[in-house]
Every structure is written in structure tokens, then in C-alpha cells.
Amino acid sequence: MIGRLNHVAIAVPDLEAASNQYRNALGAKVGDPQDEPDHGVTVVFIELPNTKIELLYPLGDSSPIAGFLEKNPSGGIHHVCYEVDDILAARDHLRETGARVLGDGTPKIGAHGKPVLFLHPKDFNGCLVELEQV
Ligand SMILES: CC[C@H](C(=O)O)C(=O)SCCNC(=O)CCNC(=O)[C@H](O)C(C)(C)COP(=O)(O)OP(=O)(O)OC[C@H]1O[C@@H](n2cnc3c(N)ncnc32)[C@H](O)[C@@H]1OP(=O)(O)O
Ligand SMILES: [Co+2]
């Protein structure tokens, strides 16, 4: 069911500093910050030859990543995103396996304009999993 690794997301305490570090120290192709108010984050995408890095910074006062950054003030890997062909079929299958789909199970439109869902980290070895329909 899951396909390519679409991105690895890193929550950062300073989006500009992290962007400059990837651009200057790591020589990566770094995009511009993109506010995603529906998700409570500002994101910066870094294009790699085989996947993307998604830098995340809280946006607004009820960001879902605020708690993560409080616990990890230097930042840290926040989630991985796998691609799926059919996100509703994936959701229903995962629910049948007992996995918790976060929210009410209705996909939201993510940063790439595609439907996304999240699976609880406690059900996937402490790793927050995002699914993106491509
Ligand atoms: C623009 C969209 C973009 C895209 O790719 O298109 C995005 O990726 S948006 C990304 C931001 N949105 C989300 O992350 C939505 C899904 N996340 C959530 O709903 C929350 O972050 C949640 C429920 C995973 C955790 O929320 P919170 O930290 O407030 O809850 P708890 O403190 O109760 O945490 C419960 C338990 O889980 C551990 N935890 C929390 N976050 C993570 C994480 N990222 N990775 C691994 N584990 C995580 C936390 O430490 C708690 O564990 P415990 O042992 O009980 O302390
Ligand atoms: Co993501």
C-alpha cells in the first residue's frame, strides 16, 4: 500500500536559521517559507534527488507541533510521509488493523495540494506517519 517516501519532516526552533544551514552548510535547494494555517505550521521544502525534507515551524497559537518543540527545544524529526494511491482505502484498511487515524479521518489538503492523513505515533513505533495521496 505505501509507496515512495514523499518527505521527512523536521520541526525546527528557527526556520530561517535551519533554511540557511541547509542552503549554505549543506548546499541544498531550499524553497521559500509557506504558511499553512489549516495545519498550524509554516513549512519550508528542501528538494533532494530522491525525496524532500520538510522544515516545520509553529503557526498560530494552537499548532499541533508546539508540544513537540516544547519537549524537543532543539528540534527533531517530526514525521515521515509515505505516498499512497488511494488515501481513503488506506485509511479504512489501517482502521481495520486497529491503527488510530488522527482527526475525524477526513483527509486535509497538505502543502503539495494533495489529500493527507496522519497516523498516531504510538501505533507506529513512536513515529508519526503522514500519508499523502499522489
Ligand atoms: C502543511 C501540511 C504538512 C504536509 O506535509 O503537507 C504537514 O506535515 S503538517 C504537520 C503538522 N501536523 C501534524 O502533525 C498533525 C498530526 N499531529 C498531531 O495531531 C499531533 O502532533 C499528535 C497527536 C501526534 C501529538 O500531539 P501532542 O504532542 O499535542 O500530543 P501529546 O503530547 O499527547 O503526545 C502524545 C504522545 O505522542 C508523542 N508524540 C507527539 N508528537 C510526536 C511525534 N511527532 N513523533 C513521535 N511521538 C510524538 C508524545 O511525546 C506523547 O508521547 P508520551 O510517551 O505519552 O509522552
Ligand atoms: Co508533512
Side-chain angles (χ1 to χ4, degrees):
M1 179 175 68
I2 59 172
R4 291 174 355 123
L5 174 67
N6 183 274
H7 62 268
V8 175
I10 302 171
V12 297
D14 182 333
L15 197 55
E16 189 179 356
S19 299
N20 288 335
Q21 192 180 38
Y22 270 80
R23 184 179 296 111
N24 304 328
L26 294 172
K29 186 170 162 243
V30 179
D32 293 327
Q34 211 177 298
D35 284 351
E36 293 290 343
D38 198 27
H39 293 268
V41 291
T42 299
V43 302
V44 167
F45 275 100
I46 295 157
E47 299 286 337
L48 302 179
N50 63 333
T51 188
K52 291 183 278 291
I53 300 299
E54 179 185 71
L55 301 180
L56 292 174
Y57 187 75
L59 178 67
D61 51 12
S62 58
S63 172
I65 71 165
F68 182 89
L69 274 172
E70 273 161 35
K71 286 183 182 165
N72 307 278
S74 307
I77 292 179
H78 184 262
H79 63 269
V80 293
C81 180
Y82 303 118
E83 294 178 358
V84 293
D85 296 334
D86 180 336
I87 200 160
L88 296 180
R91 176 199 63 188
D92 296 345
H93 169 72
L94 281 153
R95 278 176 164 163
E96 282 164 17
T97 68
R100 284 169 284 179
V101 178
L102 296 174
D104 67 1
T106 306
K108 279 187 179 176
I109 298 304
H112 301 123
K114 306 276 180 60
V116 300
L117 279 174
F118 288 87
L119 308 176
H120 202 288
K122 292 297 181 193
D123 298 335
F124 289 91
N125 314 296
C127 177
L128 177 61
V129 172
E130 177 182 10
L131 302 178
E132 178 174 322
Q133 179 173 292
V134 295

